Structure formats: C-alpha cells, structure tokens
Amino acid sequence: MERWRIIKAFTLGPLLEVAIPKPGNVSRHRDFEDLTLYHFLFGNVATLDILYEATQVGIMLRRGELEFSEARIGEMIKRAVQNSKASQNANPNFGVITLSIPLVTALTISKHIYHAREVVVRLINQSTVRDTMEFYRAIRIANPKGVKSGVKYDVYDENVFEELFKDRITLKDLAEMSQERELIFGEWLNGYELSYKTFLRLKELTGELDLEDAVVRTFLELLASKKDTLIIRKAGLDEAKLVQEKARAVLDEEMSLEEFDAFLREKGDLRNPGSLADIMAIALSLLILQGYTLKRSKLGINP
C-alpha cells in the first residue's frame, strides 16, 4: 500500500479519536487534571517521522532487503515514545504507538488492508529479544499508569534486561504472557482482531450516521462487550465490570449518555477507558485508510 496514505491515516486517526467527545475520555470538550487535548495533539504529531520510518522498513521488507527479524519494531516504538515525551510532559499515546508501529509496517508490505493482519502477526512472531528490551525501555520512558510490579519480568526491576536476554523473551513471548493484562498484546497475537472488528463496525455506521455519532455508538458497544484493561490495572476488575454494565445500560436506553459520562469521571481518571480508546484510534486510522471522507458533522463541516 502507498506509504503516504498510511502515514496520513495513522496521524489523523488518533487525532480524531481524542477530538470526538466519547464518554470517560479526554476530548475537545473535556480534560483530566493531568492530561489534556493538547497533550494528545503534541504527542501524536511528534511521532510522524517514526511512522515514516516504519513505512520505509516495510518497503525494505517487501523488497527483500531486510528479514522480518530485522524490522526493529521495539526500537521504533521506543523512539516514537521518546519523540512524544520530548514534545509534552504526559503519556497520551503509548498504547496508540505500540499498536500503530507494527501495523503501519505491515500495511506497507501488504497488498490490501486486510492482508496486513497476517503480515503483522508474522512481524510479532519473528521479533527478537532486542525488540523486547527496546520495548521495555519505551515503557520506562512513557511510564504508563497501572503497570503491575512484582511480576515475572517486572519492567522496573533493575535486573529485568538480564532476565529477558537470558530467557530469550521476544515480543511474541511477552504478549503471550501479558495479554490478559493488556488488550494491545492480544491484538499483536490475533492480527488486530478487535481493531478490525471495530473498524468494520465504524464503516457500517458511518454509512448512516455522522462521524461523531458513529464513533460514540461504536465506543459504547466496545465498552459493553470488552472490559477495559487500563481500568482493570488502575481501579480493579470490579470497576471494569461495572463500567461494562453501565455501557450496556446506555445501549438499552436505561441510562443516558450524560449520566454514563458523569459516572466514568466521578473518580477522576480511574474509570478512563484508555485501552479501548487506543483500539478506537486504530479503527479510525483504518477507516481513513480505506477512503472515508468527511461528508457532514455536528460542527457543520460540508464537502
């Protein structure tokens, strides 16, 4: 696929995700105390050069100039996080970066948008120990909330790099061990199943609704069907289940969207469904990549 189409789509997708008012998330109308719309704008645009590099790696893989094990996925993720952190002082986009870099690389190699699902699994399967070590450095730079300590291969343990090297832990190994704690790892292993499912639902709904309404509806369906792993890490499994139940109540018209949003925000950012927001950002990127153009919106923008 053409590199600049991919880069533009994976730049615009995350910006749309944060701008559109969704329950419990930062948007153009709502901020958290330590995380604002501007953190996302600065952090996401700061990764543009690494998205370009990921397409270059994809081109070299397609030409046979690199082996899949030489793709340097972990290093590109780390440098994208460094760029984001250098542009602002929060962690607005670690999940989006972690999902985007392998998929952008895979899309550049692929014949079409769906073929990339097979390619990205191959990239993860042929990752190296160095990829994992660089990915761990990326986590340390981003310092995301709710990272569990005291586990095997604790990211903040001073001996963790020796352990990763000794045990030859690749990104695939790490994902298999950690997929219950983080949705992103499940996406790596299953070819971005949830991201593509969300993209196809968005594609369906944008045929009949404006973009904002389609995104909000799809997000509610995501929240109702999946427990958000960021909420689990920060607030616990019971809170994540409660959020899931409330989302179903909104879909069943037993609770208003405004009441749900207030519920999600009543404990600060503890109920912020950030992992599913990352899935939405990738789904929006895929929607743009396949050719969605803005026809109407609540802002009154017309073609």
Side-chain angles (χ1 to χ4, degrees):
M1 298 185 71
E2 199 275 317
R3 72 186 316 172
W4 281 109
R5 282 188 59 208
I6 298 168
I7 293 166
K8 289 174 185 177
F10 278 78
T11 301
L12 180 55
L15 298 180
L16 286 173
E17 184 279 316
V18 68
I20 292 171
K22 304 187 310 306
N25 288 154
V26 170
S27 74
R28 70 175 190 272
H29 297 319
R30 301 295 297 268
D31 292 327
F32 290 120
E33 184 177 339
D34 60 349
L35 192 62
T36 72
L37 173 69
Y38 295 103
H39 288 105
F40 285 85
L41 298 184
F42 276 74
N44 284 321
V45 174
T47 67
L48 203 84
D49 56 338
I50 310 301
L51 293 179
Y52 180 88
E53 184 177 337
T55 64
Q56 184 60 37
V57 169
I59 290 168
M60 294 174 73
L61 288 166
R62 190 173 65 206
R63 291 173 177 168
E65 297 170 8
L66 286 177
E67 300 293 333
F68 271 62
S69 60
E70 299 173 317
R72 299 180 290 109
I73 295 296
E75 182 187 338
M76 287 192 289
I77 290 172
K78 183 193 73 174
R79 287 194 287 108
V81 171
Q82 286 174 326
N83 284 7
S84 175
K85 201 72 169 182
S87 72
Q88 46 77 47
N89 64 353
N91 172 35
N93 60 339
F94 178 69
V96 170
I97 289 170
T98 301
L99 286 167
S100 294
I101 296 298
L103 187 55
V104 164
T105 306
L107 284 161
T108 312
I109 302 169
S110 302
K111 302 170 186 175
H112 52 73
I113 199 169
Y114 302 103
H115 177 229
R117 293 192 60 191
E118 302 172 25
V119 178
V120 79
V121 170
R122 186 178 169 193
L123 278 168
I124 297 302
N125 286 350
Q126 295 190 35
S127 62
T128 66
V129 178
R130 180 184 174 187
D131 285 316
T132 308
M133 295 171 84
E134 293 293 273
F135 182 65
Y136 264 52
R137 293 185 177 99
I139 298 173
R140 289 185 172 192
I141 295 164
N143 194 26
K145 294 180 179 179
V147 174
K148 194 172 182 181
S149 61
V151 296
K152 183 70 171 173
Y153 309 115
D154 184 337
V155 71
Y156 295 111
D157 188 283
E158 62 181 14
N159 298 316
V160 70
F161 293 103
E162 294 176 12
E163 293 176 1
L164 292 171
F165 182 79
K166 177 173 65 72
D167 295 343
R168 313 304 296 170
I169 302 299
T170 67
L171 293 179
K172 180 187 178 184
D173 298 325
L174 179 66
E176 288 174 341
M177 288 184 286
S178 307
Q179 61 181 312
E180 296 301 319
R181 297 199 300 269
E182 178 49 64
L183 278 170
I184 289 169
F185 294 129
E187 293 294 276
W188 277 0
L189 294 172
N190 63 31
Y192 288 57
E193 181 177 347
L194 185 57
S195 298
Y196 273 78
K197 181 179 179 181
T198 305
F199 148 59
L200 291 172
R201 181 59 172 155
L202 277 174
K203 184 180 176 183
E204 177 185 10
L205 288 177
T206 51
E208 55 193 68
L209 302 173
D210 76 16
L211 181 61
E212 285 200 358
D213 288 340
V215 168
V216 171
R217 175 71 189 192
T218 303
F219 194 58
L220 285 170
E221 292 174 359
L222 263 181
L223 290 173
S225 63
K226 291 285 182 181
K227 288 180 280 293
D228 189 280
T229 49
L230 178 61
I231 297 175
I232 293 173
R233 293 201 311 271
K234 292 197 298 185
L237 181 59
D238 288 343
E239 288 284 358
K241 288 180 178 178
L242 187 57
V243 169
Q244 196 173 21
E245 291 169 10
K246 298 288 187 183
R248 288 176 185 148
V250 178
L251 292 172
D252 293 338
E253 299 183 352
E254 298 170 356
M255 185 180 198
S256 73
L257 187 62
E258 293 74 20
E259 289 171 330
F260 182 47
D261 184 58
F263 163 76
L264 291 176
R265 297 179 192 279
E266 69 182 13
K267 292 187 176 182
D269 70 347
L270 285 180
R271 293 173 179 154
N272 167 30
S275 292
L276 290 172
D278 295 336
I279 297 295
M280 179 60 71
I282 299 302
L284 279 162
S285 299
L286 291 168
L287 183 72
I288 300 300
L289 182 60
Q290 199 171 60
Y292 176 84
T293 56
L294 190 65
K295 299 178 180 64
R296 61 188 185 274
S297 81
K298 291 182 178 178
L299 295 176
I301 300 172
N302 293 306

PDB file of all heavy atoms in Angstrom, residues 59 194 240 260:
ATOM      1  N   ILE A  59       8.863  -1.105   3.239  1.00  0.00           N
ATOM      2  CA  ILE A  59       9.325  -1.139   1.844  1.00  0.00           C
ATOM      3  C   ILE A  59      10.548  -2.045   1.701  1.00  0.00           C
ATOM      4  O   ILE A  59      10.646  -2.857   0.773  1.00  0.00           O
ATOM      5  CB  ILE A  59       9.638   0.289   1.350  1.00  0.00           C
ATOM      6  CG1 ILE A  59       8.334   1.084   1.189  1.00  0.00           C
ATOM      7  CG2 ILE A  59      10.412   0.261   0.033  1.00  0.00           C
ATOM      8  CD1 ILE A  59       8.532   2.567   0.987  1.00  0.00           C
ATOM      9  N   LEU A 194      -9.735  -7.185  17.264  1.00  0.00           N
ATOM     10  CA  LEU A 194     -10.688  -6.212  17.810  1.00  0.00           C
ATOM     11  C   LEU A 194     -10.616  -4.885  17.046  1.00  0.00           C
ATOM     12  O   LEU A 194     -11.647  -4.251  16.790  1.00  0.00           O
ATOM     13  CB  LEU A 194     -10.419  -5.989  19.299  1.00  0.00           C
ATOM     14  CG  LEU A 194     -11.411  -5.076  20.031  1.00  0.00           C
ATOM     15  CD1 LEU A 194     -12.841  -5.604  19.906  1.00  0.00           C
ATOM     16  CD2 LEU A 194     -11.014  -4.939  21.501  1.00  0.00           C
ATOM     17  N   ALA A 240     -14.023  -2.361  36.326  1.00  0.00           N
ATOM     18  CA  ALA A 240     -14.120  -2.598  34.888  1.00  0.00           C
ATOM     19  C   ALA A 240     -15.435  -3.286  34.536  1.00  0.00           C
ATOM     20  O   ALA A 240     -16.070  -2.956  33.517  1.00  0.00           O
ATOM     21  CB  ALA A 240     -12.934  -3.435  34.412  1.00  0.00           C
ATOM     22  N   PHE A 260     -23.800   8.434  32.082  1.00  0.00           N
ATOM     23  CA  PHE A 260     -22.687   7.490  31.980  1.00  0.00           C
ATOM     24  C   PHE A 260     -21.354   8.222  32.010  1.00  0.00           C
ATOM     25  O   PHE A 260     -20.417   7.811  32.700  1.00  0.00           O
ATOM     26  CB  PHE A 260     -22.838   6.681  30.691  1.00  0.00           C
ATOM     27  CG  PHE A 260     -21.774   5.635  30.476  1.00  0.00           C
ATOM     28  CD1 PHE A 260     -21.394   4.770  31.498  1.00  0.00           C
ATOM     29  CD2 PHE A 260     -21.166   5.489  29.226  1.00  0.00           C
ATOM     30  CE1 PHE A 260     -20.427   3.792  31.291  1.00  0.00           C
ATOM     31  CE2 PHE A 260     -20.201   4.523  29.004  1.00  0.00           C
ATOM     32  CZ  PHE A 260     -19.832   3.674  30.039  1.00  0.00           C
TER      33      PHE A 260
END
